[in-house]
Amino acid sequence: FLVCDISDGAGNISGTFPYLKSVGFKVTSPGTMPLGQFSDKGFQFLPVFSTPDSCWIETTTTNFIDDVPLFESEKGDEAWNGQPLMVGAVRTVGDKVQKCVVLSNADCISNSELGMNRKDIRSANFYLVMETARWFTGGRYPVNVSRQGTKDNDIRGSYDQLVWYKGVFMWLIPLLLAMLGTVICVRRYRQ
């Protein structure tokens, strides 16, 4: 897995990210790829988290138990220092603001990764989800998804009526269904 740094530009998305960075939180990801170059299209790009400064693609070491992986650019190793792994993009079209997030690998916000506890690593993955949602909603967070109560939310009837309802649904209707089934079976048997 990869332990990623929260970028300096993440403060443009949420003021919580600079605080998390200052107290040592990191974003963990089981696997990822750096994001490539973006065409402009009028978006302002805000990096949220990136690879650490000591990150590279190891192409020469195959035995990671006995050998020590070393960065060797002459042998084909590729440096990933500070490559963005999540970018927020924002632009204004007319009087509306468009926001989107490009994530190189969504495994960092999967259920298994959000529930993962690793020794000596303070994970900010949950904050990543929450603060991105807050950014998308323009600070109107959490999103209220409750519904209004129904208009017919009370039952009007006495206890005597309830006894009759119980008798109809527990005895009369099942008895009628049993009689109907018996009639159908007898008619089929006669034919």
Side-chain angles (χ1 to χ4, degrees):
F1 72 95
L2 189 63
V3 180
C4 307
D5 296 327
I6 298 173
S7 301
D8 294 332
N12 294 324
I13 290 182
S14 172
T16 305
F17 287 132
Y19 168 73
L20 292 173
K21 183 176 182 175
S22 70
V23 294
F25 275 81
K26 304 284 186 178
V27 176
T28 60
S29 183
T32 191
M33 286 291 294
L35 296 173
Q37 188 67 29
F38 296 104
S39 59
D40 188 348
K41 304 290 185 195
F43 282 100
Q44 175 190 2
F45 294 105
L46 310 167
V48 179
F49 70 92
S50 58
T51 59
D53 290 334
S54 61
C55 186
W56 72 90
I57 296 289
E58 181 69 40
T59 59
T60 56
T61 304
T62 56
N63 184 358
F64 288 98
I65 296 173
D66 297 330
D67 294 343
V68 176
L70 297 171
F71 177 68
E72 299 171 301
S73 61
E74 62 276 356
K75 291 187 177 179
D77 290 349
E78 181 182 341
W80 273 19
N81 300 336
Q83 296 291 318
L85 300 174
M86 179 177 172
V87 175
V90 62
R91 74 175 176 181
T92 304
V93 177
D95 60 343
K96 300 201 180 219
V97 176
Q98 290 182 339
K99 296 177 182 178
C100 68
V101 168
V102 180
L103 188 60
S104 64
N105 188 349
D107 286 341
C108 66
I109 57 173
S110 66
N111 287 338
S112 62
E113 193 64 28
L114 291 174
M116 185 72 63
N117 288 324
R118 293 190 174 95
K119 187 178 188 233
D120 299 328
I121 297 175
R122 299 177 77 185
S123 172
N125 293 27
F126 180 75
Y127 295 105
L128 183 71
V129 174
M130 301 304 282
E131 295 306 314
T132 303
R134 184 186 312 267
W135 180 61
F136 278 137
T137 61
R140 294 183 303 272
Y141 183 81
V143 179
N144 184 6
V145 294
S146 62
R147 293 186 254 172
Q148 291 181 343
T150 58
K151 295 187 189 270
D152 56 348
N153 57 0
D154 62 338
I155 298 173
R156 296 181 186 177
S158 66
Y159 182 76
D160 294 334
Q161 290 174 331
L162 186 61
V163 171
W164 281 101
Y165 290 143
K166 182 178 179 181
V168 167
F169 285 105
M170 290 187 69
W171 295 103
L172 184 61
I173 292 176
L175 183 64
L176 291 174
L177 288 173
M179 289 172 43
L180 180 66
T182 304
V183 168
I184 291 173
C185 287
V186 168
R187 284 188 167 187
R188 282 187 176 180
Y189 181 73
R190 287 183 184 170
Q191 293 176 359

